[in-house]
């Protein structure tokens, strides 16, 4: 327990997390998010937890833990502090190339005119990935005006979703985007800060989703491609399988999952077929049948 | 105020946000001024309160589709009722093109339309062959 004078303002270094508190917290966080922390991440967890306790004005772990159970805003703050959000535009460009060189041809071949093409970025963090998909399609897909394209960005962290909707980025987030595209789709709003084009902002729909929550995921069906990079690596085996099953259910028959380049769905779930295309390896929900 | 000759003004009427953005970027790069509407109702409001040299109209849209919009527009007297309209539709059937023309479309293109083709057609239909500037 932290021994502090209740009249003094608390600083993060005052907070001590005991072993049972650490285990209790990890268990709680895992059940709510599917994300696993072990003893090797003890220092990381303790530091962020202490930051959270101080930022919320709680007097220690016990009080803060009680608040987490009843105050959704504190839970959101916690998730925001414990999930990694750094990304940039045109990250893993080979997958975007695969989308327009291969995946979309098969997807639209199964559709009638008027049926939407639904692309899902999850976790989308502050919006770099879903906006990259939109820019990539505008620049590289000859059929971009022929289909009703829905791009959805989802994350468990509501804070990053707010930032995604605001659409403001540092120069660093734009470092991989060719300069003509920065000039075309962004307005400079200050020292090394840029705001994304209004039309692009309107072309992506943002929504909070917890991938391991089956009821939440049931709202999302008929997705053609999910970009799900570097999320499953935070989960343990059970959560990974739950997430894979939920994603499978959200996909349209023949839909694809694109994972991060170090990840493999084959080790997580037998539900998907591995497809090795020239630009990328992706995972496909079979067109017929599948699990009930 | 802008310098130089005024640009031809184009209203893009399409329910697809990426599609509107694609057309807008292509047309603005060629020197046209572009406004947007997401369906026929919003387009009617805009043409009655603003001046346009050309309408680019999709057919399948919620609330008011392109054919209904053109019929309603053409039934009006005055300048707004006579604005030229380029219909760009995903419907490739001959009957679709005939319906659009009967409703008042001046020209019919089938999607997908490349940026260069779009600006060429818009230049011809607005009588501004050199990059959107009105003589």
């Amino acid at each position: 327990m932290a021994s502090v004078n209740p009249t003094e303002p608390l600083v993060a270094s005052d907070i001590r997390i005991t072993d049972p508190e650490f285990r209790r917290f990890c268990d709680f966080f895992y059940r709510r998010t599917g994300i696993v922390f072990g003893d090797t991440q003890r220092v990381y967890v303790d530091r962020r937890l202490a930051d959270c306790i101080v930022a919320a004005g709680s007097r220690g772990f016990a009080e803060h833990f009680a608040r987490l159970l009843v105050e959704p805003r504190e839970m959101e703050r916690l998730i925001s502090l414990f999930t990694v959000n750094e990304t940039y535009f045109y990250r893993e460009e080979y997958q975007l190339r695969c989308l327009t060189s291969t995946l979309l041809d098969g997807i639209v071949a199964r559709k009638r005119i008027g049926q939407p093409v639904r692309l899902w970025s999850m976790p989308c963090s502050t919006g770099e990935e879903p906006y990259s998909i939109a820019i990539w399609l505008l620049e590289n897909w000859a059929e971009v005006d022929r289909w009703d394209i829905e791009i959805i960005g989802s994350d468990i962290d509501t804070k990053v979703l707010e930032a995604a909707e605001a659409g403001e980025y540092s120069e660093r987030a734009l470092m991989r985007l060719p300069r003509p595209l920065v000039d075309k789709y962004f307005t400079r709003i200050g020292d090394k800060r840029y705001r994304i084009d209004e039309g692009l902002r309107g072309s992506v729909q943002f929504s909070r989703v917890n991938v391991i929550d089956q009821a939440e995921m049931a709202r999302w069906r008929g997705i053609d491609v999910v970009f799900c990079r570097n999320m499953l690596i935070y989960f343990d085996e059970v959560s990974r399988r739950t997430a894979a099953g939920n994603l499978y259910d959200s996909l349209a028959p023949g839909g694809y999952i694109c994972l991060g380049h170090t990840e493999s769905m084959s080790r997580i779930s037998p539900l998907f077929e591995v497809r090795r295309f020239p630009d990328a390896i992706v995972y496909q929900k079979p067109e017929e049948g599948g699990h009930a | 105020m802008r310098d130089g000759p005024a640009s031809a003004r184009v209203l893009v009427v399409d329910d697809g946000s990426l599609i509107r953005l694609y057309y807008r970027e292509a047309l603005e790069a060629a020197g046209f001024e572009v406004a947007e509407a997401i369906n026929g109702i919003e387009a009617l409001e805009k043409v009655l309160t603003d001046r346009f040299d050309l309408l680019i109209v999709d057919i399948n849209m919620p609330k008011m589709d392109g054919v209904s919009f053109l019929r309603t527009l053409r039934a009006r007297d005055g300048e707004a009722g006579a604005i030229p309209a380029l219909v760009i539709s995903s419907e490739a059937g001959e009957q679709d093109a005939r319906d659009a023309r009967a409703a008042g479309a001046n020209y019919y293109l089938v999607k997908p339309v490349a940026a260069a083709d779009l600006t060429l057609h818009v230049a011809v239909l607005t009588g501004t062959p050199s990059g959107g500037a009105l003589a």
Side-chain angles (χ1 to χ4, degrees), chain A residues 113 134 137-138 142-149 151 184-185 197-200 202-203, chain B residues 14-19 21-25 36 60 88 90-91 110-114:
Chain A
I113 292 290
L137 292 180
L138 286 165
E143 300 220 3
V144 71
D145 68 329
R146 193 167 176 229
W147 299 94
D148 174 15
I149 301 159
I151 302 173
K184 190 170 174 183
Y185 295 111
D197 177 282
E198 196 70 32
L200 264 182
S203 69
Chain B
D14 199 305
D15 58 324
S17 53
L18 267 191
I19 299 173
L21 181 56
Y22 174 68
Y23 291 164
R24 175 159 65 81
E25 289 292 346
E36 300 175 20
N60 294 317
I88 307 184
S90 302
E91 305 292 348
V110 177
K111 295 175 180 180
V113 178

